[in-house]
Amino acid sequence: MSTADAISDDDEKGYETLEEVTKAIKKAGVNSCGLIFGIDYTISNKLQGQKTFDGHSLHDVSKDRINPYQEVICILGETLEPLDDDGSINAFGFGDRKSKDKKTFPFKPQGECDGFAEVLDVYNEITPKIRMGGPTNFAPLIKKAVDIVRKNQEYHILVIVADGQVTSEEETIQAIVDASNFPLSIIVIGVGDGPWNVMNDLDEKLPSRKFDNFKFVDFHEIKGSARNPQTAIAIEALSEIPEQYKAIRKLKLIENM
């Protein structure tokens, strides 16, 4: 049994309400953390809304409807913002025609976003101007998140909102494994039609890590089946944070930075 299995299986549990998972996060010792947000601008976003977004591009910014990326920003913003003591959020895009699968770009040229309200405002402003590209690789964003954790020497949660399969799978896997040496939780919210087999494999079949640092959430599956979709998505996204943070403390990943 790996170190991650030994820690995460010890007292793993399910949560039925957002209050339960929030209390568990506080009980685990997470009084504050840094937040990092990553948005997928690969060209497949134009086609991945055939079933789940009435055929529109997942990045369609319109006054008539809210797109899946905007939904996730709003849902997780309301849920996670109380954990962020300074209110500053690092937000990045990746997969556009300039960045491709090699780098990220900051939402703001200078500084961080002031809370999730500004993340949403900047997303709405810049998205119509972005030329989508690809291929899909989470590694540059995960490495950027690790750099931020190193600099701030504080526990962070990285939320990646993406529309489909990772094409640079080996590089992404290695970045996730390497990130388990740092106090960083990675949550991937999958929007669009899928399929999600690679994402599920990443969640369930990653090689040995210091701790289980990766969680995948199928946004539309939960949204389509839950009585209260927003609450259900938030619960699922945060459900592994308590055990991940306990593992981080047990492994002394913050103290050893």
Side-chain angles (χ1 to χ4, degrees), residues 199-210:
M199 288 294 99
N200 286 316
D201 285 348
L202 287 178
D203 200 357
E204 298 169 6
K205 300 177 183 178
L206 277 163
S208 179
R209 292 156 287 156
K210 287 288 186 66

Side-chain angles (χ1 to χ4, degrees), residues 138-139 141-147 149-150 155-156 158 160 171-186 206 208-214 248 251 253 257:
F138 293 167
L141 178 61
I142 294 171
K143 291 175 182 177
K144 175 69 72 173
V146 168
D147 288 342
V149 171
R150 283 178 184 268
Y155 172 61
H156 280 67
L158 167 63
I160 305 173
E171 193 174 349
T172 293
I173 287 172
Q174 189 59 53
I176 295 170
V177 172
D178 292 344
S180 72
N181 293 294
F182 300 91
L184 176 69
S185 292
I186 303 168
L206 277 163
S208 179
R209 292 156 287 156
K210 287 288 186 66
F211 70 102
D212 181 1
N213 60 342
F214 183 92
I248 286 168
L251 293 164
L253 294 182
M257 291 181 67

Side-chain angles (χ1 to χ4, degrees), residues 106-156:
F107 265 31
K108 294 177 66 176
Q110 301 292 331
E112 303 164 352
C113 291
D114 183 14
F116 270 91
E118 188 173 21
V119 173
L120 182 61
D121 287 344
V122 177
Y123 170 85
N124 292 339
E125 178 184 349
I126 68 174
T127 296
K129 306 170 188 175
I130 291 174
R131 299 173 70 190
M132 288 181 272
T136 307
N137 184 4
F138 293 167
L141 178 61
I142 294 171
K143 291 175 182 177
K144 175 69 72 173
V146 168
D147 288 342
I148 292 169
V149 171
R150 283 178 184 268
K151 178 182 177 182
N152 295 338
Q153 297 191 340
E154 181 186 21
Y155 172 61
H156 280 67

Side-chain angles (χ1 to χ4, degrees), residues 29-68:
V30 185
N31 296 313
S32 67
C33 69
L35 300 177
I36 306 166
F37 219 85
I39 297 290
D40 173 7
Y41 283 105
T42 53
I43 200 165
S44 54
N45 279 280
K46 291 186 176 182
L47 302 174
Q48 280 284 357
Q50 294 299 316
K51 298 176 182 177
T52 52
F53 196 46
D54 297 327
H56 298 285
S57 166
L58 298 175
H59 279 302
D60 182 35
V61 176
S62 168
K63 294 180 181 179
D64 299 328
R65 68 180 70 87
I66 182 170
N67 73 37

